[in-house]
Amino acid sequence: MTWADVPPDSDFPVENLPVGVVRVAGHPRVATRIGDHVLPIGDVVADPMFERATANDFLASGPSRWAEVRDRLHGWLTEPANARPLDSVHEVQVLLPVAIGDFVDFYSSIHHATRVGELFRPGAEPLLPNWRHLPIGYHGRAGTIVSSGTDIPRPHGLLPTEGGVWRGPSARLDFEAEVGFVVGTGNERGRPVPPGEADRHVFGVVLVNDWSARDIQAFEYQPLGPFLGKSFATTISQWIVPLAALAPFRTSPPVQDPSPDASLTDPGDGAIAIRVEASVGDTTLCRADLRDLYWTFAQQYAHLTSNGASTRTGDLFATGTVSGPGANAMGCLLESTRGGVEPVSLDDGSTRTWLEDGDVVTLRGWAGGRSADDPDHVRIGFGEATGRIVPGDTDGGPR
Ligand code: MN
């Protein structure tokens, strides 16, 4: 047990020990979080890599150093002689944890892909022929990834009208509840990483909201895929939960039929049971689980390096919308409103087809906990990835 004060339902018990960056007394410091307090790692393990504005140097130091630092933090926080007041997380500024390199977003939920396929190609086979053979993905925009709590201006874009195109605010703004994986040590160009070695490269996990302007996306995406409908902002949670903390929740992936190519065969425990919830205001619209994804993070990482592409410290790859089989497990409004046709109700009596200015979207995620699902394990949580929609710039030039 730790001497630190950890509320019973906290996302951040001593078994978690996530990594983030906080500004304390004007200085950025790489820190961990325990309950509602922060502990600069440099106070326990003296190393210049912890006195930086990002955790990149620590993530680059590799799996044996990650494990050693984790052991040192755990030992320090469980030694009663070390007991002392720690800074409240509410009294420090929490920064983006890493300088993000490349960003990839996959499309790995078969439930999401099937429902979207039925919406866009009614009457046809919902999954395109490639879907069960490889994790579909696209390269996104790393420079617009923002930390939880950052406002999201409504994007403006070119939209079709009868007989023409006009430039205006997106009227179909959506969220996507996702989970993202942060690369610690990259791979060299020309050296693909098989799924069984993904753990040696991936440091940890964050929540990701892949904000999406569906009307901008629908007009621009053919034939090359998502562009400005996605690139205006992506929100991530503030603390990177190490894969090491999630080890008790690893599980086998769903049956994959047909069997994937040998280069994509999961080692058997690449799936992780993580509950993912999405709320608009106080209303939880989605309760899904990462274990229901078809493709695992190990397969995603193997696929993105399978052509010899290199990865670097701080690269982020996200799962795609995390949806499950149930009607309450749809990770975006596109799905839950059937393309804006069937509004969803909020607890305040209002309805939504798409997000309105002022709406606050909050993603939450955790593994274990004292739930009926998993009463034996302590809760390992991610905190929140939250963002508020604000009116966008209306001075974008001639219309
Ligand atoms: Mn997405």
Side-chain angles (χ1 to χ4, degrees), residues 2 4-6 10 12-15 17-18 32-39 77 86:
T2 178
D5 180 29
V6 179
S10 175
F12 303 103
V14 73
E15 291 85 355
L17 299 178
T32 191
R33 178 167 169 173
I34 179 83
D36 293 329
H37 293 84
V38 297
L39 171 63
L77 283 163
L86 299 173

PDB file of all heavy atoms in Angstrom, residues 2 4-6 10 12-15 17-18 32-39 77 86:
ATOM      1  N   THR A   2       0.339   2.284  -0.629  1.00  0.00           N
ATOM      2  CA  THR A   2       1.070   3.549  -0.661  1.00  0.00           C
ATOM      3  C   THR A   2       0.658   4.430   0.510  1.00  0.00           C
ATOM      4  O   THR A   2      -0.462   4.344   1.009  1.00  0.00           O
ATOM      5  CB  THR A   2       0.798   4.294  -1.983  1.00  0.00           C
ATOM      6  OG1 THR A   2       1.494   5.541  -1.949  1.00  0.00           O
ATOM      7  CG2 THR A   2      -0.689   4.555  -2.195  1.00  0.00           C
ATOM      8  N   ALA A   4       0.545   7.581   0.055  1.00  0.00           N
ATOM      9  CA  ALA A   4      -0.124   8.724  -0.574  1.00  0.00           C
ATOM     10  C   ALA A   4      -1.630   8.545  -0.497  1.00  0.00           C
ATOM     11  O   ALA A   4      -2.147   7.428  -0.425  1.00  0.00           O
ATOM     12  CB  ALA A   4       0.315   8.859  -2.030  1.00  0.00           C
ATOM     13  N   ASP A   5      -2.351   9.678  -0.507  1.00  0.00           N
ATOM     14  CA  ASP A   5      -3.801   9.658  -0.399  1.00  0.00           C
ATOM     15  C   ASP A   5      -4.401   9.313  -1.760  1.00  0.00           C
ATOM     16  O   ASP A   5      -4.276  10.085  -2.706  1.00  0.00           O
ATOM     17  CB  ASP A   5      -4.276  11.047   0.067  1.00  0.00           C
ATOM     18  CG  ASP A   5      -5.783  11.093   0.212  1.00  0.00           C
ATOM     19  OD1 ASP A   5      -6.376  10.041   0.505  1.00  0.00           O
ATOM     20  OD2 ASP A   5      -6.363  12.173   0.008  1.00  0.00           O
ATOM     21  N   VAL A   6      -5.028   8.144  -1.854  1.00  0.00           N
ATOM     22  CA  VAL A   6      -5.645   7.724  -3.115  1.00  0.00           C
ATOM     23  C   VAL A   6      -7.115   7.419  -2.847  1.00  0.00           C
ATOM     24  O   VAL A   6      -7.431   6.466  -2.130  1.00  0.00           O
ATOM     25  CB  VAL A   6      -4.945   6.476  -3.702  1.00  0.00           C
ATOM     26  CG1 VAL A   6      -5.629   6.063  -5.006  1.00  0.00           C
ATOM     27  CG2 VAL A   6      -3.461   6.727  -3.919  1.00  0.00           C
ATOM     28  N   SER A  10     -10.266   6.023  -7.476  1.00  0.00           N
ATOM     29  CA  SER A  10      -9.347   6.792  -8.318  1.00  0.00           C
ATOM     30  C   SER A  10      -8.878   5.990  -9.524  1.00  0.00           C
ATOM     31  O   SER A  10      -8.705   4.774  -9.462  1.00  0.00           O
ATOM     32  CB  SER A  10      -8.125   7.210  -7.492  1.00  0.00           C
ATOM     33  OG  SER A  10      -7.174   7.862  -8.317  1.00  0.00           O
ATOM     34  N   PHE A  12      -5.980   6.456 -10.563  1.00  0.00           N
ATOM     35  CA  PHE A  12      -4.524   6.492 -10.454  1.00  0.00           C
ATOM     36  C   PHE A  12      -4.010   5.919  -9.137  1.00  0.00           C
ATOM     37  O   PHE A  12      -3.409   6.629  -8.319  1.00  0.00           O
ATOM     38  CB  PHE A  12      -4.030   7.935 -10.656  1.00  0.00           C
ATOM     39  CG  PHE A  12      -4.473   8.518 -11.967  1.00  0.00           C
ATOM     40  CD1 PHE A  12      -5.529   9.428 -12.020  1.00  0.00           C
ATOM     41  CD2 PHE A  12      -3.854   8.147 -13.154  1.00  0.00           C
ATOM     42  CE1 PHE A  12      -5.945   9.960 -13.240  1.00  0.00           C
ATOM     43  CE2 PHE A  12      -4.272   8.676 -14.380  1.00  0.00           C
ATOM     44  CZ  PHE A  12      -5.319   9.585 -14.417  1.00  0.00           C
ATOM     45  N   PRO A  13      -4.249   4.626  -8.891  1.00  0.00           N
ATOM     46  CA  PRO A  13      -3.651   3.969  -7.722  1.00  0.00           C
ATOM     47  C   PRO A  13      -2.153   3.756  -7.958  1.00  0.00           C
ATOM     48  O   PRO A  13      -1.647   4.019  -9.059  1.00  0.00           O
ATOM     49  CB  PRO A  13      -4.399   2.632  -7.667  1.00  0.00           C
ATOM     50  CG  PRO A  13      -4.692   2.334  -9.105  1.00  0.00           C
ATOM     51  CD  PRO A  13      -4.983   3.687  -9.743  1.00  0.00           C
ATOM     52  N   VAL A  14      -1.470   3.244  -6.974  1.00  0.00           N
ATOM     53  CA  VAL A  14      -0.008   3.065  -7.096  1.00  0.00           C
ATOM     54  C   VAL A  14       0.340   1.992  -8.130  1.00  0.00           C
ATOM     55  O   VAL A  14       1.477   1.907  -8.593  1.00  0.00           O
ATOM     56  CB  VAL A  14       0.602   2.759  -5.707  1.00  0.00           C
ATOM     57  CG1 VAL A  14       0.265   1.328  -5.259  1.00  0.00           C
ATOM     58  CG2 VAL A  14       2.108   3.017  -5.712  1.00  0.00           C
ATOM     59  N   GLU A  15      -0.644   1.198  -8.534  1.00  0.00           N
ATOM     60  CA  GLU A  15      -0.406   0.200  -9.596  1.00  0.00           C
ATOM     61  C   GLU A  15      -0.416   0.826 -10.992  1.00  0.00           C
ATOM     62  O   GLU A  15      -0.094   0.150 -11.964  1.00  0.00           O
ATOM     63  CB  GLU A  15      -1.480  -0.898  -9.531  1.00  0.00           C
ATOM     64  CG  GLU A  15      -1.394  -1.801  -8.311  1.00  0.00           C
ATOM     65  CD  GLU A  15      -2.099  -1.238  -7.092  1.00  0.00           C
ATOM     66  OE1 GLU A  15      -2.602  -0.075  -7.156  1.00  0.00           O
ATOM     67  OE2 GLU A  15      -2.165  -1.936  -6.062  1.00  0.00           O
ATOM     68  N   LEU A  17       0.747   4.464 -12.064  1.00  0.00           N
ATOM     69  CA  LEU A  17       1.993   5.214 -12.292  1.00  0.00           C
ATOM     70  C   LEU A  17       2.151   5.667 -13.752  1.00  0.00           C
ATOM     71  O   LEU A  17       3.107   5.288 -14.448  1.00  0.00           O
ATOM     72  CB  LEU A  17       3.214   4.391 -11.833  1.00  0.00           C
ATOM     73  CG  LEU A  17       3.218   4.023 -10.347  1.00  0.00           C
ATOM     74  CD1 LEU A  17       4.439   3.168 -10.012  1.00  0.00           C
ATOM     75  CD2 LEU A  17       3.166   5.277  -9.481  1.00  0.00           C
ATOM     76  N   PRO A  18       1.200   6.511 -14.198  1.00  0.00           N
ATOM     77  CA  PRO A  18       1.287   7.026 -15.566  1.00  0.00           C
ATOM     78  C   PRO A  18       2.382   8.076 -15.677  1.00  0.00           C
ATOM     79  O   PRO A  18       2.940   8.514 -14.671  1.00  0.00           O
ATOM     80  CB  PRO A  18      -0.088   7.669 -15.758  1.00  0.00           C
ATOM     81  CG  PRO A  18      -0.414   8.196 -14.393  1.00  0.00           C
ATOM     82  CD  PRO A  18       0.113   7.144 -13.433  1.00  0.00           C
ATOM     83  N   THR A  32       4.728  11.621 -12.461  1.00  0.00           N
ATOM     84  CA  THR A  32       3.681  10.611 -12.419  1.00  0.00           C
ATOM     85  C   THR A  32       2.539  11.166 -11.579  1.00  0.00           C
ATOM     86  O   THR A  32       2.657  12.243 -10.975  1.00  0.00           O
ATOM     87  CB  THR A  32       4.176   9.278 -11.848  1.00  0.00           C
ATOM     88  OG1 THR A  32       3.168   8.271 -12.090  1.00  0.00           O
ATOM     89  CG2 THR A  32       4.445   9.354 -10.352  1.00  0.00           C
ATOM     90  N   ARG A  33       1.420  10.458 -11.623  1.00  0.00           N
ATOM     91  CA  ARG A  33       0.250  10.900 -10.866  1.00  0.00           C
ATOM     92  C   ARG A  33      -0.151   9.781  -9.915  1.00  0.00           C
ATOM     93  O   ARG A  33      -0.201   8.608 -10.301  1.00  0.00           O
ATOM     94  CB  ARG A  33      -0.897  11.242 -11.821  1.00  0.00           C
ATOM     95  CG  ARG A  33      -2.159  11.653 -11.091  1.00  0.00           C
ATOM     96  CD  ARG A  33      -3.166  12.284 -12.024  1.00  0.00           C
ATOM     97  NE  ARG A  33      -4.452  12.426 -11.323  1.00  0.00           N
ATOM     98  CZ  ARG A  33      -5.500  13.054 -11.805  1.00  0.00           C
ATOM     99  NH1 ARG A  33      -5.447  13.605 -13.000  1.00  0.00           N
ATOM    100  NH2 ARG A  33      -6.625  13.134 -11.109  1.00  0.00           N
ATOM    101  N   ILE A  34      -0.452  10.190  -8.678  1.00  0.00           N
ATOM    102  CA  ILE A  34      -0.927   9.228  -7.680  1.00  0.00           C
ATOM    103  C   ILE A  34      -2.183   9.835  -7.045  1.00  0.00           C
ATOM    104  O   ILE A  34      -2.128  10.928  -6.470  1.00  0.00           O
ATOM    105  CB  ILE A  34       0.186   8.921  -6.639  1.00  0.00           C
ATOM    106  CG1 ILE A  34      -0.292   7.937  -5.588  1.00  0.00           C
ATOM    107  CG2 ILE A  34       0.758  10.184  -5.999  1.00  0.00           C
ATOM    108  CD1 ILE A  34      -0.195   6.503  -6.013  1.00  0.00           C
ATOM    109  N   GLY A  35      -3.331   9.180  -7.223  1.00  0.00           N
ATOM    110  CA  GLY A  35      -4.592   9.790  -6.794  1.00  0.00           C
ATOM    111  C   GLY A  35      -4.763  11.131  -7.474  1.00  0.00           C
ATOM    112  O   GLY A  35      -4.631  11.241  -8.697  1.00  0.00           O
ATOM    113  N   ASP A  36      -5.020  12.177  -6.684  1.00  0.00           N
ATOM    114  CA  ASP A  36      -5.182  13.519  -7.248  1.00  0.00           C
ATOM    115  C   ASP A  36      -3.942  14.378  -7.031  1.00  0.00           C
ATOM    116  O   ASP A  36      -4.013  15.612  -7.028  1.00  0.00           O
ATOM    117  CB  ASP A  36      -6.418  14.199  -6.633  1.00  0.00           C
ATOM    118  CG  ASP A  36      -7.696  13.511  -7.058  1.00  0.00           C
ATOM    119  OD1 ASP A  36      -7.733  12.958  -8.180  1.00  0.00           O
ATOM    120  OD2 ASP A  36      -8.656  13.481  -6.254  1.00  0.00           O
ATOM    121  N   HIS A  37      -2.796  13.707  -6.864  1.00  0.00           N
ATOM    122  CA  HIS A  37      -1.542  14.426  -6.657  1.00  0.00           C
ATOM    123  C   HIS A  37      -0.534  14.051  -7.736  1.00  0.00           C
ATOM    124  O   HIS A  37      -0.674  13.021  -8.403  1.00  0.00           O
ATOM    125  CB  HIS A  37      -0.979  14.133  -5.259  1.00  0.00           C
ATOM    126  CG  HIS A  37      -1.838  14.693  -4.163  1.00  0.00           C
ATOM    127  ND1 HIS A  37      -2.940  14.016  -3.680  1.00  0.00           N
ATOM    128  CD2 HIS A  37      -1.770  15.861  -3.480  1.00  0.00           C
ATOM    129  CE1 HIS A  37      -3.525  14.755  -2.734  1.00  0.00           C
ATOM    130  NE2 HIS A  37      -2.830  15.876  -2.590  1.00  0.00           N
ATOM    131  N   VAL A  38       0.469  14.924  -7.886  1.00  0.00           N
ATOM    132  CA  VAL A  38       1.514  14.647  -8.865  1.00  0.00           C
ATOM    133  C   VAL A  38       2.857  14.517  -8.138  1.00  0.00           C
ATOM    134  O   VAL A  38       3.077  15.142  -7.104  1.00  0.00           O
ATOM    135  CB  VAL A  38       1.606  15.747  -9.948  1.00  0.00           C
ATOM    136  CG1 VAL A  38       0.308  15.803 -10.749  1.00  0.00           C
ATOM    137  CG2 VAL A  38       1.954  17.101  -9.363  1.00  0.00           C
ATOM    138  N   LEU A  39       3.706  13.696  -8.709  1.00  0.00           N
ATOM    139  CA  LEU A  39       5.042  13.484  -8.166  1.00  0.00           C
ATOM    140  C   LEU A  39       6.050  13.620  -9.305  1.00  0.00           C
ATOM    141  O   LEU A  39       6.084  12.772 -10.208  1.00  0.00           O
ATOM    142  CB  LEU A  39       5.135  12.076  -7.556  1.00  0.00           C
ATOM    143  CG  LEU A  39       6.539  11.607  -7.142  1.00  0.00           C
ATOM    144  CD1 LEU A  39       7.110  12.489  -6.037  1.00  0.00           C
ATOM    145  CD2 LEU A  39       6.509  10.142  -6.695  1.00  0.00           C
ATOM    146  N   LEU A  77       6.905   5.195  -3.260  1.00  0.00           N
ATOM    147  CA  LEU A  77       5.549   5.546  -2.828  1.00  0.00           C
ATOM    148  C   LEU A  77       4.974   4.544  -1.824  1.00  0.00           C
ATOM    149  O   LEU A  77       3.908   4.782  -1.246  1.00  0.00           O
ATOM    150  CB  LEU A  77       4.619   5.649  -4.051  1.00  0.00           C
ATOM    151  CG  LEU A  77       4.762   6.932  -4.870  1.00  0.00           C
ATOM    152  CD1 LEU A  77       4.132   6.780  -6.249  1.00  0.00           C
ATOM    153  CD2 LEU A  77       4.142   8.124  -4.129  1.00  0.00           C
ATOM    154  N   LEU A  86       2.309  16.166  -1.300  1.00  0.00           N
ATOM    155  CA  LEU A  86       2.576  16.254  -2.741  1.00  0.00           C
ATOM    156  C   LEU A  86       1.692  17.342  -3.341  1.00  0.00           C
ATOM    157  O   LEU A  86       0.631  17.658  -2.810  1.00  0.00           O
ATOM    158  CB  LEU A  86       2.272  14.911  -3.423  1.00  0.00           C
ATOM    159  CG  LEU A  86       3.081  13.701  -2.948  1.00  0.00           C
ATOM    160  CD1 LEU A  86       2.542  12.423  -3.606  1.00  0.00           C
ATOM    161  CD2 LEU A  86       4.572  13.876  -3.268  1.00  0.00           C
TER     162      LEU A  86
END
